[in-house]
Amino acid sequence: MTENAQQQPTAPSTELPTQYAPAEVEGALYERWVERGYFAADAKSDKPPYTIVIPPPNVTGSLHLGHAFQHTLMDALTRRKRMQGYEALWLPGMDHAGIATQNKVEQQLAEEGKSRQDLGREEFVERVWQWKEEYGGKILGQMRRLGDGVDWDRERFTMDEGLSKAVQTIFKRLFDDELIYRAERIINWCPRCLTAISDIEVEYQEDDGELVSIKYGEGDETLVVATTRAETMLGDTAVAVHPDDERYRHLVGKRIKLPLTDRSIPVVADSHVDPEFGTGAVKVTPAHDPNDFAIGQRHGLESITVMDERAVITVHGPFEGLDRFEARSAIVAALRSQGRIVAEKRPYVHSVGHCSRCSTTIEPRLSMQWWVKVGPLAKAAGDAVRDGRVRIHPEDMSKRYFDWVDNMHDWCISRQLWWGHRIPVWYGPDGEVVCVGPDEQPPTGEGWKQDTDVLDTWFSSGLWPFSTLGWPEQTADLRKFYPTDVLLTGHDIIFFWVARMMMFGLYAMDGEVPFKTIALTGLVRDERGKKMSKSFGNVVDPLDWMDKYGSDAVRFTLARGANPGTDVPIGEDWVQASRNFANKIWNATRFALMNGATVDGPLPSPEQMSATDRWILSRLNKTVAQVDAFYEDFQFAKLSDALFHFAWDEVFDWYVELSKTTFQAGGEGAKVSQRVLGEVLDVTLKLLHPVVPFVTDTLWTTLTGGESVVVAEWPGDSGFRDGAAEREIETLQSVITEVRRFRADQGLQPGQRVPARLTLDGTDLAPHEAAIRQLLRLQPEGEDFAATATLPVAGATVALDLSGTIDVAAERKRLAKDLAAAEKEKAQANAKLGNEAFLAKAPDNVVDKIRGRLAKAEEDIERIQQQLERLPQQ
């Protein structure tokens, strides 16, 4: 907290515009927060630390609803902790996004008629840096627009000098510990981006393909294999069958002719083969399929690469030079002409991997790459959760985490790009391999060359929780803010980013975990629960909604949908409703200020307060306790809902309305309620602030005269409870609600005044008669008062004179018509539900729908009959 934040409150202003205009408030208010240093964390502070590092968005990216969702939740956590007296650090930054950024610059070059090869490596990398400075980081400005309370002075970038040193340091340590090695394995290869890509960069979709069954061998020694990738048969080096499959036992160990080639290949027995799938025989292409590669390793098979890096066929004359898809058609045609196609199925819909950056179909490819030996690292990552050092929330997500870390394969970390952290390994003229640390000089002399590959982006982002705090140096930030407290991220990257941060954090920080809690969220979907996708046409730009409704409205909508680990549906109507809530807060605070609400001085004693005052303070303290409990359990939807209903239903719709008669009456009672209303709004605005920061700060500073709610003290539960007052006001609410319902049923307008006699003997409602009459528009009974309707409610009696206010005959006619319709609906539903033949054939959802119609009809009949009974007698 800054020195300014300690200043004494000034006299609050009673002036607020009649309407809240977010666009006129949010931008300037955010810059004021930053300028005053509210979000800057002090490593020298004596306050307990609270740290969250932001999942670094891509430098090429812009704010989408998924970012807005997670950022809202992280901001709420850190804002609350800051108000609770913690030295809260929310550390921002960006990922260099190797493939995505290189693609952007290559596209720019293509528009100039150039390629990266025309520039050369050094000049191309310099061009990428220029692009980053000019166009990158657009999302950072958008984060300000959302209200992200991050410490901008600590902003980091995965390619900056400090993080680059961290990358080189950990690579060297892993290499020296023989946890990094170079080997030829099958990887995901993008023929467009010309690089290996990680599993997370592969997007699977259902494609229309073809399934062809091909006869291998001759005469009695034949097998039929089915494949969706006929072009890879040129690289087959075996056919595999299950060891227990009697159909093929006589062929195991023999060699059969591979069609279209001059080669023969062995038949091998391998338990990986499913004898129940297809023909029970599979072609084995070790250089172009990960499962086939494993079979090849087990049986010592040759690996023949039949495509180059652009997925062009490189072997067997007639097909050489053809693109893989052209070759597929040509090979099937050649096999068909030889009578070797046994069956063809088109279209054959199957799951196919595509590059997430350019949508090109991925090609599994045998390639020499750098790998991390994950075995001991993954075990440590699993143990940290099992022994409780790290908590996964919600707990049922732990199984998915263990399924991944307990069965993790070695990780391919090299990428055939120019933009990224270049692998710090040099090769000598006589086969020497030297890994160089950040403070070491690389070998020089003729014939020495550095590896041309760069590291997977996930390698550097895996260091994020500690590299951003200064590691490998033992900085004050690292000592104060590590380990971080919470990693809040989507459940979709638990396998990739989360597990890698766990592995690297435990390894680099001598067994100290990178975060204490992993809070997993769901994914944002449209209002029908459908995944947002450009192809579906349902992608929403959150900035459009912020322009229209304000950032608070977007944030509150997202938080209200945030159940742990569960996907979040969102629609524009919900954002509009949240905007209405912000307006309601605004209008209620204006009313309070205009009626003298104050935060000055201590609260009056309970003896000085009315039951209404004691009720709202009791409900306020229960809400404080409830919100705190929900925060500790990451139940953002529940805490937002609790605040919404307390603020709207109890404070604005009941306490404010009940207080109007008190304020009109004046005197000591009004002064007490002015102080109570000020207290309630002060606390409510503080509770709401972490989720809706802009409108709450504007209102709180106006109400209290304080500098900013950002640095105000988080409210505590005073322990005040008044069960008797709560029961009294609940009775009052019952009376008012029941009479309002009756008025609506009789067709009375909300503002229409009706003569009434109130009998409140035997209840606690006598002090509330003025409020009851005002809220229900009940005028005193006159000399000619005639009770035409009497309502006994909660021990009280409300007698109404409706003569002259409604057309009783017309109302009876209308209700009789509604009753007849409801009885007809009931009869039809009963007839269907009593028909055994219908029940035997109808789907469950249809039967459930009819049962629902029956229940609704019965409710309508009971309601209409009561309305008829209550009508005045003619």
Side-chain angles (χ1 to χ4, degrees):
M1 190 180 295
T2 64
E3 271 186 30
N4 287 340
Q6 304 288 347
Q7 70 181 32
Q8 294 299 312
T10 58
S13 167
T14 59
E15 293 298 321
L16 277 176
T18 55
Q19 289 185 324
Y20 177 51
E24 296 175 11
V25 170
E26 293 177 349
L29 183 54
Y30 183 84
E31 293 308 319
R32 192 179 312 143
W33 293 337
V34 174
E35 287 166 8
R36 291 178 176 178
Y38 294 159
F39 308 137
D42 183 0
K44 298 177 182 178
S45 165
D46 292 333
K47 298 178 185 176
Y50 183 83
T51 317
I52 294 180
V53 291
I54 204 165
N58 287 353
V59 67
T60 59
S62 59
L63 190 75
H64 57 63
L65 271 176
H67 290 130
F69 171 55
Q70 292 182 357
H71 287 206
T72 294
L73 305 188
M74 285 184 278
D75 195 29
L77 290 173
T78 48
R79 282 178 183 269
R80 172 175 173 263
K81 285 295 184 182
R82 191 176 292 115
M83 294 172 74
Q84 286 183 313
Y86 286 79
E87 196 61 46
L89 169 61
W90 186 20
L91 193 147
M94 292 185 298
D95 191 287
H96 64 279
I99 296 175
T101 309
Q102 180 156 319
N103 280 349
K104 287 278 189 185
V105 178
E106 288 197 77
Q107 290 166 10
Q108 195 178 65
L109 287 173
E111 292 172 2
E112 302 170 11
K114 298 176 183 177
S115 70
R116 60 178 163 126
Q117 285 76 18
D118 293 334
L119 270 65
R121 184 165 191 147
E122 288 187 13
E123 190 175 341
F124 176 78
V125 170
E126 179 58 34
R127 180 71 176 261
V128 180
W129 277 108
Q130 291 172 9
W131 181 92
K132 184 258 182 186
E133 294 304 317
E134 187 171 353
Y135 302 106
K138 176 182 178 184
I139 193 171
L140 298 178
Q142 296 167 339
M143 286 163 54
R144 301 171 90 93
R145 178 73 189 283
L146 185 65
D148 283 6
V150 297
D151 187 343
W152 291 110
D153 292 338
R154 285 181 167 85
E155 180 192 336
R156 303 306 299 268
F157 179 55
T158 49
M159 287 281 286
D160 68 28
E161 183 178 352
L163 270 65
S164 295
K165 181 177 182 180
V167 167
Q168 194 172 353
T169 299
I170 201 163
F171 187 99
K172 169 70 171 173
R173 290 188 187 179
L174 289 164
F175 181 89
D176 290 346
D177 288 343
E178 298 183 349
L179 293 173
I180 282 183
Y181 63 95
R182 194 166 182 248
E184 196 173 41
R185 300 273 181 84
I186 293 285
I187 44 88
N188 300 310
W189 181 265
C190 176
R192 156 63 183 78
C193 298
L194 299 180
T195 182
I197 65 173
S198 67
D199 292 337
I200 198 170
E201 291 162 328
V202 179
E203 291 183 350
Y204 288 89
Q205 62 188 50
E206 298 295 309
D207 285 0
D208 287 344
E210 59 182 356
L211 181 68
V212 293
S213 298
I214 308 168
K215 182 172 68 177
Y216 282 29
E218 303 289 351
D220 293 335
E221 297 183 351
T222 61
L223 286 166
V224 175
V225 301
T227 182
T228 58
R229 305 180 69 229
E231 68 278 9
T232 64
M233 68 164 292
L234 301 176
D236 286 358
T237 55
V239 174
V241 299
H242 194 275
D244 299 331
D245 196 330
E246 294 290 342
R247 295 171 294 176
Y248 306 119
R249 183 165 288 177
H250 67 290
L251 292 176
V252 174
K254 294 186 177 181
R255 300 183 73 85
I256 59 174
K257 181 77 167 58
L258 178 65
L260 303 182
T261 73
D262 56 2
R263 293 191 291 116
S264 65
I265 57 177
V267 178
V268 299
D270 195 282
S271 57
H272 171 77
V273 179
D274 181 0
E276 302 298 323
F277 182 76
T279 64
V282 297
K283 60 192 286 299
V284 182
T285 322
H288 292 279
D289 182 274
N291 293 322
D292 293 3
F293 179 78
I295 292 174
Q297 293 286 295
R298 287 194 289 272
H299 296 276
L301 301 176
E302 183 183 5
S303 295
I304 300 176
T305 300
V306 298
M307 292 179 222
D308 67 11
E309 59 184 9
R310 297 183 184 275
V312 172
I313 302 298
T314 58
V315 299
H316 201 72
F319 312 109
E320 188 173 357
L322 294 180
D323 169 83
R324 54 183 164 166
F325 301 120
E326 296 171 335
R328 182 178 299 172
S329 299
I331 287 170
V332 170
L335 291 167
R336 191 183 299 115
S337 69
Q338 293 183 8
R340 289 191 173 275
I341 299 296
V342 176
E344 298 181 65
K345 184 176 181 181
R346 295 189 186 88
Y348 178 73
V349 179
H350 61 134
S351 182
V352 178
H354 294 258
C355 175
S356 63
R357 305 300 179 190
C358 66
S359 299
T360 301
T361 300
I362 290 301
E363 189 63 44
R365 187 168 189 257
L366 185 63
S367 179
M368 182 67 76
Q369 302 285 345
W370 285 94
W371 303 80
V372 172
K373 186 185 295 183
V374 299
L377 303 174
K379 181 182 183 304
D383 290 345
V385 175
R386 286 190 171 94
D387 63 25
R389 282 176 288 156
V390 176
R391 175 173 71 113
I392 292 180
H393 188 280
E395 190 176 350
D396 58 11
M397 288 281 180
S398 298
K399 184 180 183 302
R400 297 179 64 186
Y401 176 81
F402 291 133
D403 285 346
W404 178 254
V405 297
D406 293 347
N407 301 284
M408 195 182 294
H409 300 297
D410 284 1
W411 169 21
C412 176
I413 55 171
S414 45
R415 298 291 180 266
Q416 291 63 56
L417 303 170
W418 287 355
W419 171 246
H421 296 101
R422 193 165 175 180
I423 288 177
V425 172
W426 272 255
Y427 304 107
D430 299 317
E432 302 96 329
V433 177
V434 175
C435 180
V436 177
D439 300 318
E440 301 172 350
Q441 290 297 318
T444 56
E446 188 175 349
W448 282 94
K449 292 183 179 178
Q450 186 178 358
D451 195 300
T452 58
D453 288 352
V454 300
L455 287 162
D456 177 13
T457 297
W458 295 98
F459 190 94
S460 53
S461 61
L463 316 182
W464 191 252
F466 52 93
S467 64
T468 51
L469 296 172
W471 187 90
E473 307 303 326
Q474 292 303 307
T475 63
D477 277 359
L478 194 64
R479 289 190 295 272
K480 176 74 174 181
F481 296 111
Y482 190 90
T484 67
D485 287 86
V486 178
L487 171 72
L488 190 144
T489 190
H491 63 64
D492 55 327
I493 58 173
I494 185 173
F495 311 129
F496 308 107
W497 187 46
V498 177
R500 287 164 184 174
M501 284 190 290
M502 285 284 282
M503 292 191 301
F504 280 167
L506 290 161
Y507 174 80
M509 299 300 293
D510 298 322
E512 196 168 15
V513 297
F515 23 73
K516 299 164 190 172
T517 301
I518 302 168
L520 297 171
T521 70
L523 310 178
V524 179
R525 296 181 176 272
D526 72 11
E527 59 221 79
R528 296 178 182 85
K530 193 173 184 180
K531 179 182 178 182
M532 288 193 176
S533 165
K534 290 181 181 177
S535 60
F536 295 152
N538 62 350
V539 173
V540 173
D541 184 344
L543 295 168
D544 291 340
W545 281 351
M546 289 184 215
D547 287 341
K548 198 170 182 181
Y549 303 111
S551 297
D552 284 332
V554 174
R555 290 170 61 115
F556 194 68
T557 305
L558 290 164
R560 271 193 98 179
N563 290 298
T566 304
D567 289 350
V568 183
I570 184 171
E572 187 167 1
D573 288 350
W574 305 340
V575 183
Q576 187 172 352
S578 295
R579 188 272 313 274
N580 294 344
F581 179 51
N583 288 341
K584 187 81 169 180
I585 302 169
W586 184 269
N587 291 331
T589 307
R590 281 190 75 243
F591 166 85
L593 291 168
M594 291 167 62
N595 284 276
T598 179
V599 297
D600 293 339
L603 276 173
S605 67
E607 293 74 23
Q608 296 173 284
M609 297 181 194
S610 68
T612 309
D613 295 330
R614 298 195 305 276
W615 161 75
I616 196 63
L617 289 175
S618 184
R619 293 293 309 132
L620 175 67
N621 279 290
K622 285 184 177 180
T623 302
V624 170
Q626 195 176 33
V627 167
D628 277 335
F630 286 144
Y631 261 115
E632 295 307 313
D633 200 36
F634 303 100
Q635 298 282 356
F636 295 98
K638 290 181 178 179
L639 73 88
S640 299
D641 219 41
L643 284 169
F644 174 86
H645 287 295
F646 173 72
W648 192 305
D649 299 345
E650 298 186 278
V651 179
F652 307 150
D653 278 359
W654 283 108
Y655 184 71
V656 165
E657 291 301 317
L658 289 170
S659 298
K660 286 181 179 178
T661 53
T662 306
F663 293 145
Q664 288 169 2
E668 288 303 314
K671 291 180 180 178
V672 170
S673 291
Q674 287 168 343
R675 179 64 187 91
V676 171
L677 180 54
E679 180 75 11
V680 170
L681 284 175
D682 176 16
V683 173
T684 302
L685 291 170
K686 288 176 181 176
L687 292 174
L688 283 165
H689 172 72
V691 180
V692 283
F694 293 105
V695 68
T696 52
D697 194 43
T698 304
L699 294 174
W700 187 86
T701 52
T702 304
L703 173 72
T704 68
E707 183 185 348
S708 174
V709 73
V710 177
V711 289
E713 185 177 345
W714 181 256
D717 174 7
S718 71
F720 177 79
R721 302 287 191 275
D722 193 324
E726 291 195 40
R727 289 189 294 274
E728 183 175 325
I729 301 305
E730 284 170 10
T731 303
L732 174 64
Q733 290 170 329
S734 297
V735 171
I736 292 173
T737 301
E738 185 61 28
V739 177
R740 279 175 172 168
R741 185 181 297 118
F742 175 77
R743 287 178 57 109
D745 288 344
Q746 304 310 313
L748 294 174
Q749 295 300 313
Q752 190 171 351
R753 302 194 71 81
V754 177
R757 176 187 298 137
L758 303 185
T759 305
L760 306 176
D761 298 341
T763 72
D764 296 321
L765 301 181
H768 304 288
E769 180 170 351
I772 293 172
R773 287 188 176 278
Q774 179 165 314
L775 291 175
L776 291 174
R777 303 296 188 267
L778 303 179
Q779 62 191 41
E781 55 187 293
E783 291 183 5
D784 55 350
F785 177 82
T788 58
T790 302
L791 303 175
V793 187
T797 302
V798 180
L800 303 173
D801 182 356
L802 301 179
S803 57
T805 60
I806 59 173
D807 185 337
V808 176
E811 189 65 12
R812 282 189 180 280
K813 186 176 181 180
R814 181 184 71 81
L815 290 172
K817 182 179 178 182
D818 290 347
L819 181 61
E823 288 174 335
K824 181 180 179 181
E825 176 74 3
K826 177 182 176 181
Q828 290 175 341
N830 272 327
K832 286 190 176 182
L833 293 173
N835 185 334
E836 294 295 334
F838 169 78
L839 292 175
K841 294 179 181 178
D844 289 345
N845 65 317
V846 173
V847 175
D848 289 342
K849 187 175 181 181
I850 293 170
R851 286 185 178 132
R853 284 168 49 190
L854 174 61
K856 174 69 165 55
E858 290 174 338
E859 289 175 8
D860 289 344
I861 290 168
E862 183 179 358
R863 175 180 55 80
I864 295 167
Q865 287 174 338
Q866 288 178 355
Q867 289 176 241
L868 283 166
E869 290 171 5
R870 290 172 173 173
L871 277 176
Q873 298 300 313
Q874 292 176 298

